[in-house]
């Protein structure tokens, strides 16, 4: 609660819960305590999913684990009242840019159907980074953006 109070005093209106190295909020009760504290201070939350998501792996098990991590973040995000779930979609691997993009777009169907069915209430976002191996590479320096899929 003190953290969100400091954010409010500093003029911040949003905060990201970094699950980048693992989803450390494990239960609804803990999440609701965090949600109550952020709502009390008027802070809007987002979640950054674990870095080890790769929806373009040539290993089917890694893709399934990646989907599970995204969905777990969505579940915890719902408990927290998070407005956005951000994740890195994957890497080119052995594919060219277009093949990799098409492969990643398939996840849109999964997330879209889960949204319609009410399993996801937070907006999922793909984070665009400037590394050559990232799926959504851009030539603009210092460019980071989030796009809805």
């Amino acid at each position: 609660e003190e953290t969100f109070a400091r954010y409010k005093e500093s003029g911040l209106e949003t905060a990201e819960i970094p699950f980048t190295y693992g989803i450390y909020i494990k239960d609804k009760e803990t999440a609701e305590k965090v949600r109550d504290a952020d709502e009390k201070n008027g802070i809007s939350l987002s979640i950054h999913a674990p870095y080890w998501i790769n929806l373009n792996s040539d290993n089917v098990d890694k893709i399934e684990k990646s989907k599970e991590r995204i969905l777990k973040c969505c579940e915890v995000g719902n408990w927290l009242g998070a407005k956005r779930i951000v994740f890195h979609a994957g890497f080119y691997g052995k594919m060219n840019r277009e093949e990799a993009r098409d492969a990643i777009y398939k996840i849109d169907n999964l997330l879209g159907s889960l949204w319609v069915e009410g399993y996801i209430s937070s907006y999922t976002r793909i984070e665009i980074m400037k590394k050559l191996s990232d799926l959504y590479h851009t030539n603009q320096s210092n460019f980071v953006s989030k796009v809805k899929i």
Side-chain angles (χ1 to χ4, degrees):
E1 191 169 323
E2 291 176 24
T3 300
F4 292 119
R6 284 195 309 263
Y7 289 169
K8 182 179 181 179
E9 289 171 11
S10 299
L12 297 175
E13 298 175 352
T14 61
E16 181 175 87
I17 305 290
F19 290 160
T20 49
Y21 294 102
I23 302 168
Y24 54 83
I25 296 177
K26 304 289 185 190
D27 59 87
K28 190 173 183 177
E29 181 181 338
T30 301
E32 288 174 344
K33 288 178 185 176
V34 173
R35 185 191 65 221
D36 292 346
D38 81 72
E39 287 177 351
K40 178 180 176 183
N41 290 284
I43 305 296
S44 175
L45 295 179
S46 68
I47 290 175
H48 195 297
Y51 287 135
W52 45 83
I53 289 174
N54 186 1
L55 299 171
N56 196 41
S57 175
D58 54 5
N59 181 323
V60 176
D61 187 51
K62 286 184 181 179
I63 293 172
E64 290 306 311
K65 294 287 187 194
S66 295
K67 290 177 185 178
E68 289 172 18
R69 289 181 185 110
I70 293 169
L71 294 176
K72 184 63 179 176
C73 283
C74 291
E75 178 183 35
V76 175
N78 287 339
W79 297 341
L80 289 166
K83 305 297 183 216
R84 289 174 183 79
I85 310 296
V86 178
F87 64 95
H88 298 266
F91 303 91
Y92 290 125
K94 298 174 185 171
M95 297 180 179
N96 67 38
R97 184 177 184 175
E98 289 75 27
E99 291 170 329
R101 184 195 61 228
D102 291 346
I104 296 292
Y105 280 163
K106 291 177 185 176
I107 194 64
D108 184 37
N109 294 329
L110 170 69
L111 295 175
S113 65
L114 291 171
W115 178 276
V116 169
E117 294 170 22
Y119 291 103
I120 299 175
S121 63
S122 300
Y123 289 99
T124 53
R125 307 270 195 233
I126 296 176
E127 185 169 0
I128 300 172
M129 299 299 290
K130 189 182 175 291
K131 291 169 55 177
L132 286 173
S133 60
D134 282 353
L135 180 63
Y136 292 92
H137 170 69
T138 178
N139 290 325
Q140 298 174 341
S141 62
N142 300 321
F143 179 80
V144 177
S145 181
K146 295 177 177 80
V147 292
K148 183 179 176 198
I149 62 165

